[in-house]
Amino acid sequence: MYSGSVSTPERLIEATRELLWERGYVGTSPRAVLQRAGAGQGSMYHHFTGKPQLALTAIRRTADEMRTTVEAVLGGPGSPSERIEGYLLRERDVLRGCPIGRLTMDPDVVADDELRAPVDETLDWLRERLAAVVEEGREQGEFASSLDGEEIAATIVATVQGGYVLARASGSTGAFDTAVRGLLSLLAAASPARTDV
Amino acid sequence: MYSGSVSTPERLIEATRELLWERGYVGTSPRAVLQRAGAGQGSMYHHFTGKPQLALTAIRRTADEMRTTVEAVLGGPGSPSERIEGYLLRERDVLRGCPIGRLTMDPDVVADDELRAPVDETLDWLRERLAAVVEEGREQGEFASSLDGEEIAATIVATVQGGYVLARASGSTGAFDTAVRGLLSLLAAASPARTDV
DNA sequence: GTCTATATCATGATAGAC
DNA sequence: GTCTATCATGATATAGAC
């Protein structure tokens, strides 16, 4: 429940962001949004044209927030491999999953180009950003020259997104951590400097 | 539409399996099931107690089918690394995603232990099965001794599940294939016999 | 066993009072 | 700008005819 000095549209957007994360687009009703935002029945249709536009606004904000959070790690200090490790080990609410990635399992989001666009753009940006860091690491001799930046980046993002699936299936975070450790061990074994065969 | 000599319960189960794959549990209504199965309004409640029990029956069948399909590859001929590659490169309807994994993004499935159980058990079985193959490969010197079977298995399953996310976000299969190629290149680079540094 | 009819509540949206 | 009706439709389930 958002209340106090925050404006009604703001409360509607935040309530929608939460519900989209928890229940997805199909599972989120205007009624539930209004209730969580503490707003009256018609008030959502005064500020937004309907559920799709409100959802689009919410998704865009979540996407922006995610880029900012990720860039703080990938664009921060440390060697390329340290930054990738930092991304993989960063604090996460694993059982809630990814607020952007989960939308790809929503049929009404995937079917609507406008709703899908911010999801696509965010995951695309993430892959490109990671690919650049991997390439940087390869130039510095941290990764084997046989590795391709875009491929490794896709594998990293996929491991994280799939890690959420495994964690949510089992109801515990263990499987996510295990998948990440496996990926880190592969990256370490793929280092030219390895001595652990 | 299933028709002909197939029984009504059978048609209801198959229609439910399709809809759960396409739209998830929350997005699948009894009405849609009945329509696709070509059955009358009340007929579903004669054979099943309601939507949850019908869905459970459908999910269990899909889970069984998936095990059989996977076991054909992982328990088939070839070296451990060849079988893992076979699993990763096997034919898939990538844009439809995984009929089991997608259910982990369904709030009503995750919240219900009975519905979540077959999802959890299937992904758990898959990880154990892959872990055994990885361990086998390690013993035969195909993989570096520093790798852990359970970890690599989790990474493999996560890459596939996350690959679906990336593919569905972009609306094309490319990102799935890229993620899989990345994982295969890491597995190759982690081979004791590599000469590609 | 299958069908039609019906009941109850939720969904997504609109109209109009204040 | 916000609120309380109100509406048509869909979701989930039951009753009872055939």
Side-chain angles (χ1 to χ4, degrees), chain B residues 76-93:
Chain B
S79 72
S81 69
E82 281 169 352
R83 279 176 280 153
I84 287 174
E85 187 173 334
Y87 168 73
L88 284 168
L89 299 178
R90 81 174 229 249
E91 222 179 324
R92 283 184 171 87
D93 207 338

Side-chain angles (χ1 to χ4, degrees), chain A residues 12 16 25 28-30 33 42-58 115:
Chain A
L12 289 169
T16 303
Y25 183 82
T28 296
S29 68
V33 170
S43 102
M44 153 181 162
Y45 293 96
H46 179 76
H47 300 284
F48 302 93
T49 60
K51 175 177 166 177
Q53 199 217 331
L54 173 53
L56 182 57
T57 307
L115 287 176

